[in-house]
Amino acid sequence: MSVITPTSTDLAYQQCINPSCRATFAVSQTCFACPKCGDLLDVVYDWDRLPVPSRLSEFESKWSDRLNPLNFSGVWRFRDLLPFAPPDAVVTVGEGQTLLQTADKVGQYVGLAPGGLKLQYEGMNPSGSFKDNGMTAAFTHARMVGARRVACASTGNTSAALAVYCSATDFGFKAIIFIGSGKIAYGKLAQALDHGALTIQIVGDFDDAMQRVRQVADRLNIYLMNSVNPFRLEGQKTIMFRVLEGLAWEPPDWIVVPGGNLGNSSAFGKAFIELKHLGLIDRVPRLAVINAAGASTLEHLVGHGLTWNSGLPDAELTESYYQKLDAEHLKASTIASAIEINRPVNLKKCLRALDFCNGVVRQVSDQEIMDAKARVGSGGLGCEPASAASVAGAKRLREEGIIAPSDRVVCILTGHQLKDPTATVAYHGTDQENFEKILGSRGVRRAGFANRPVVVPNDLDDIIRTIALYSDAPTADAAKM
Ligand SMILES: *Cc1c(COP(=O)(O)O)cnc(C)c1O
Ligand SMILES: [Zn+2]
């Protein structure tokens, strides 16, 4: 591979995160691992020579100019903080329209004081998950380097986002998606197919699909859209900018996020490193990354002492854990399919984020995830199973006393409720066989917060009696109607 080195006029470039390498590459380079040592790459900026607002509140001026697509986008209105692309190269479909809800009923479940829990809902993105934040940035880079065919391996949401950016833009992008067999939620598969992506289903799980897509991208010179792509993480930093925006620029005590491939947690860490460096915040929130118990590599490794260690984490520890997974044929398994990943590609960057944000890692069971999801649904905008891991994790940390009752906590709801209706209906429904098949098989024993549909004969009196029985309306009033 030919290497393109940055010139002295480049204000943004790529750099290997390995402190004993630190090789640099121009933004125009397309590679998703350091060509010198194989480690992850960062997008870095020469902040001293870049125009950066002196206060975060200056970004509010963008709100009055929303007819400009760059200002409408919840990613690109922060473009001064991810300045790797000329504005006319930006590929946007209006991503980043998120909102921060105060969710007191969910907060009570978690164990927080009123006003203490906010849910950052990312389901309002064009493809229904936070992935669009990263995709817009990676597609912008793909456009800058003239890529046409773009590919990813996916548990579902990355492929849905990739498919949207190909179908809804006019730059000749062709989507190629790799998914594991039987491992993708229907809502997400539906999106890939509906948006016309070439969908390649291989026998295997996400980790297998990831390995293949890397090989194929290499061999066929296809642009890789997985979160090893450092440009995606630049876009995902803006999730934190919008959290701060929703809190009038006052950092919360905690950010809680589900961890799969660890792109999001890595991006959040980078956002806070840069905001602190630029003097735009004076306090850094603590970060909690939540694994599913059936896919808990990060939790295991951090629990066994793995740390960032100034960029030189103990590779032996990670390698021997992966060898053990292989030897025992252990595959990731959780109802939270979006985080059903055993070999998180951004592990190192996540360790850096944990280091900078005084972070913690926990794992939660599928039971805790499904219960938390039901509470989010009944007290908020709803979410898919993986997203609810954040709420389940916050509850766990609250019970352990690590999060205090008075803390201000933001849980990231990463994906839309309708992404995985199968899990939701299995939990709430009355079909015991379906419950066993979808949830029981993963160790979920109870649906303690189920909202069961009520089966009633098709008879007006029966229906009226049933409504009276299940609601507060007096029977006499109901009968008069
Ligand atoms: C991708 C995804 C995650 C995991 O994010 P990572 O950046 O891979 O850790 C969590 N929740 C949802 C809904 C996702 O789509
Ligand atoms: Zn390197």
Side-chain angles (χ1 to χ4, degrees), residues 129-131 155 157-158 188 227 232 236 258-265 338-339 341 346 384 386-387 414-416:
S129 86
F130 79 81
K131 295 294 196 301
T155 62
N157 280 332
T158 302
K188 307 174 188 180
S227 57
R232 259 188 60 189
Q236 288 170 215
N261 239 341
L262 305 177
N264 235 5
S265 43
I339 52 174
I341 294 171
N346 287 298
E384 66 168 281
S387 314
T414 45
H416 197 284

Side-chain angles (χ1 to χ4, degrees), residues 391-415:
V391 172
K395 180 172 160 61
R396 182 72 82 83
L397 289 164
R398 191 39 223 99
E399 285 162 3
E400 290 177 17
I402 294 172
I403 292 180
S406 59
D407 279 353
R408 292 157 317 126
V409 178
V410 176
C411 289
I412 310 300
L413 297 186
T414 45

Side-chain angles (χ1 to χ4, degrees), residues 131-159:
K131 295 294 196 301
D132 297 356
N133 294 283
M135 226 28 103
T136 184
F139 268 82
T140 296
H141 181 249
R143 188 177 167 202
M144 288 167 69
V145 299
R148 282 288 177 268
R149 291 188 296 182
V150 293
C152 70
S154 180
T155 62
N157 280 332
T158 302
S159 56

